[in-house]
Amino acid sequence: MKKVTIKDIAKEANVSTATVSYILNNVPKQTITDETRCRVLTAAERLNYVPNLAARSLVKRKTGLIGILINRAANEPWWRQLRYADMVNQLEQLLTERGYHVVLSSIEAEKPKVGIIAERKLDGVFLIDVKEEHFYSISFHFPAGVPLVVVDSLVEDSLFYKVIHDYELALQTAQSWNVGHACYYVIEPYYNEPYVQAIKDAIGVEDSQLYVMEDEAQLTEFISRQPAGSKGIIFNEFIGTLAAKYADPADLTIVCTSGCPEMVPARAKRVSAIENKSQISFELMIQLLKLDGELPIDKYIKVK
Amino acid sequence: MKKVTIKDIAKEANVSTATVSYILNNVPKQTITDETRCRVLTAAERLNYVPNLAARSLVKRKTGLIGILINRAANEPWWRQLRYADMVNQLEQLLTERGYHVVLSSIEAEKPKVGIIAERKLDGVFLIDVKEEHFYSISFHFPAGVPLVVVDSLVEDSLFYKVIHDYELALQTAQSWNVGHACYYVIEPYYNEPYVQAIKDAIGVEDSQLYVMEDEAQLTEFISRQPAGSKGIIFNEFIGTLAAKYADPADLTIVCTSGCPEMVPARAKRVSAIENKSQISFELMIQLLKLDGELPIDKYIKVK
DNA sequence: GTGAAAGCGCTAACAA
DNA sequence: TTGTTAGCGCTTTCAC
């Protein structure tokens, strides 16, 4: 089973490779006799031809590859590892439907290497949860014109399009369900500090009432310090399930940011913060891809 | 910021493209003057050169791309979606360390398209949870010589290397903890029926004591039908957390197959079934990759 | 309507 | 030690 090329097809069908290419790609402006088209198509079929996308990329200058790059440190706890699983699934599914192939790459939180973008000539990239201070080096070594959608990261750089969830709205909703109660908050950590800070600011309570999740032991302690009868507003459903081990689920409101609202404990309340974050990110990417350049679009998009 | 090629470097350093290539790739058998090497290297640096892997792939006939293809149906429940998240993370991390890039693709459970393997000329592929009946068509349209590691799927085809977890051992352990008790079992579904069947056979209890997870409602019902005081042995930690909503966690033993043992409810027992499944799969792949052909290795590998 | 030929960026014989 | 050159498989002018 050796590799079949258009040359083989050309020979088989007694045409030139150009003609084969025209036909296989349905080139719009090329008129082809039904007869030759048919001959070529059946030849291709018979020979079991599969195009070589690397070769195609080389000449078309489009690879059809989209990257999903996620910031990750070594030894992350399970709730952190799983955090973007849903988003990756969704994006991958949507992109695949659209005919793109997805390159998945974790990048080290400490020293993010994004060489893959240039090396693989990715057509577009999702960058997830990136430290603020790394954006400079990223944008510096960056092939201009590659659509770059930054997720869950705040950064002052007009090069990037950013998608974040509407934590303010989610917060309002959650709070509206708990009026008149003492509340404590648990939020999820991001490598992007400004984002964490923005969420903190939006919440605007004292440090004693807010915990940025780090590990289960600290969480336990934090919760145990809260006055009896307090209500908890927890960001992220994985963290929520942990909190539910130490607080009455009925006292909790979980803000779902990982796309798994079904997993929150039965008696806890939940508000979904990302209804369609993947969808939005995807659509933004498609827009950028098709415009093939700058877009007169808000650089910040808040989901839902 | 236009794209720099070895030709640019060659010009800049007053050498031929061949020389540049030699130097940039540290070609073993080529001796190069320190002086030219230095000139070329600095030129490359100055110009901010990034190799084009597509071009390289074309001539080397190796793409450096490894595929992770996961069988997925539309609208899977959350516990199913997350099931391979950890494995994907792990594999990706290991492969990235080794200098490979990872292409992630979900394939439809109903009509799996694996064209990506041939089109992208993937150097190796992990195929996860594939229906038995699809293997024929897969192996038929398959570029010979591509290492193919099949995970969580039983199939009688010597073309593939298979990795499954050692459910028998896990089972023994779990059972040894519950001797003298009435036990019921909940196992996770796989698209690969023979695998499900094999697990069922290993358990060997009546249908009334075994449930293949489908949805939460049925799970509830199943559990409620069990005699009071029964112990439950649940495969998969996500399913385990669901079960814990309807049974006393203390009565449960969770067989962790998704790499997140930390998430099982505090009072439940747990046995890890996959200690190092990703690691094993990865190493197998590396072996195959380096042998560049057949390997006198067991086609079935049971993890742990 | 079809084909010849020039590349895309890179590697690897083979010469020099 | 370095350069020349022939491709890898494909697309795309531009002639015919």
Side-chain angles (χ1 to χ4, degrees), chain A residues 249-290:
Chain A
D251 288 335
L252 299 179
T253 303
I254 315 286
V255 178
C256 299
T257 57
S258 278
C260 300
E262 306 90 338
M263 80 174 296
V264 322
R267 293 157 53 238
K269 301 180 195 59
R270 67 176 125 92
V271 34
S272 174
I274 58 147
E275 211 58 42
N276 48 8
K277 189 163 151 213
S278 307
Q279 184 72 37
I280 299 268
S281 308
F282 166 73
E283 279 161 12
L284 172 57
M285 177 61 78
I286 295 297
Q287 294 295 325
L288 295 169
L289 247 22
K290 114 177 13 156

Side-chain angles (χ1 to χ4, degrees), chain A residues 44-64:
Chain A
E45 182 91 352
R46 269 203 339 88
L47 296 182
N48 229 301
Y49 171 73
V50 179
N52 181 331
L53 297 189
R56 195 206 301 268
S57 305
L58 201 53
V59 32
K60 308 249 308 191
R61 288 128 178 285
K62 287 261 167 272
T63 56

Side-chain angles (χ1 to χ4, degrees), chain A residues 15-16 18-19 22 30-31 33 36 61:
Chain A
V15 292
S16 72
T19 307
Y22 292 146
Q30 280 290 336
T31 53
T33 334
T36 44
R61 288 128 178 285

Side-chain angles (χ1 to χ4, degrees), chain A residues 1-4 8 47:
Chain A
M1 209 195 241
K2 61 181 296 290
K3 44 204 49 158
V4 179
D8 299 315
L47 296 182

Side-chain angles (χ1 to χ4, degrees), chain A residues 46-113:
Chain A
R46 269 203 339 88
L47 296 182
N48 229 301
Y49 171 73
V50 179
N52 181 331
L53 297 189
R56 195 206 301 268
S57 305
L58 201 53
V59 32
K60 308 249 308 191
R61 288 128 178 285
K62 287 261 167 272
T63 56
L65 291 175
I66 304 289
I68 302 182
L69 310 195
I70 307 184
N71 215 342
R72 286 202 190 291
N75 297 325
E76 292 184 332
W78 66 274
W79 47 267
R80 194 148 194 180
Q81 290 234 33
L82 293 180
R83 188 153 56 139
Y84 290 110
D86 176 70
M87 185 159 194
V88 169
N89 285 346
Q90 304 258 65
L91 285 178
E92 186 276 321
Q93 224 122 321
L94 291 166
L95 290 165
T96 298
E97 268 173 36
R98 261 297 217 290
Y100 287 99
H101 287 161
V102 171
V103 174
L104 179 68
S105 178
S106 58
I107 55 185
E108 297 170 57
E110 290 317 313
K111 202 169 67 60
K113 301 159 167 248

Side-chain angles (χ1 to χ4, degrees), chain B residues 65-86:
Chain B
L65 290 175
I66 303 290
I68 302 182
L69 310 195
I70 307 183
N71 215 342
R72 285 202 189 293
N75 297 326
E76 292 183 332
W78 67 274
W79 47 268
R80 194 147 194 181
Q81 291 235 32
L82 294 180
R83 188 154 53 141
Y84 290 110
D86 175 70

